Amino acid sequence: MFLTNLLLQIIIIFILMLVGVFLKKIGFLRDTTNTDLTKIILYFISPCVIIKAFEQKFSADRMITFLITSIGVFSIYILFP
């Protein structure tokens, strides 16, 4: 269930990017519009999609998994700068 929701959100973003590429190719979007839309997607829409994908009921197992994953990610950043 979780993986299908995440995959669906990724597919939606990919389709939106393809629409943007198509609109740029036909000349509907200018460079400034392209830059503004990119900023909106990166700084607003992507975080919303990520937060929505992780919206689930709380459980101790998920918290432990989250902590282990966080420790692993921070360890990688420290060991391989």
Side-chain angles (χ1 to χ4, degrees):
M1 182 78 164
F2 169 72
L3 189 58
T4 56
N5 288 339
L6 183 60
L7 185 60
L8 181 63
Q9 295 298 322
I10 291 171
I11 290 170
I12 290 171
I13 289 178
F14 185 71
I15 290 170
L16 289 173
M17 289 189 305
L18 288 176
V19 169
V21 169
F22 175 72
L23 291 175
K24 176 73 174 165
K25 292 275 187 199
I26 64 171
F28 188 76
L29 297 175
R30 292 177 284 190
D31 289 335
T32 56
T33 307
N34 192 21
T35 303
D36 294 338
L37 289 174
T38 301
K39 287 181 183 178
I40 290 171
I41 289 172
L42 285 176
Y43 297 119
F44 181 71
I45 295 175
S46 291
C48 290
V49 169
I50 292 169
I51 290 169
K52 180 66 178 169
F54 281 99
E55 235 177 44
Q56 297 179 8
K57 290 185 178 183
F58 178 80
S59 74
D61 289 336
R62 289 195 181 137
M63 180 57 81
I64 292 170
T65 303
F66 171 74
L67 291 174
I68 291 171
T69 305
S70 297
I71 291 169
V73 168
F74 288 121
S75 299
I76 289 172
Y77 279 122
I78 290 171
L79 293 174
F80 302 104

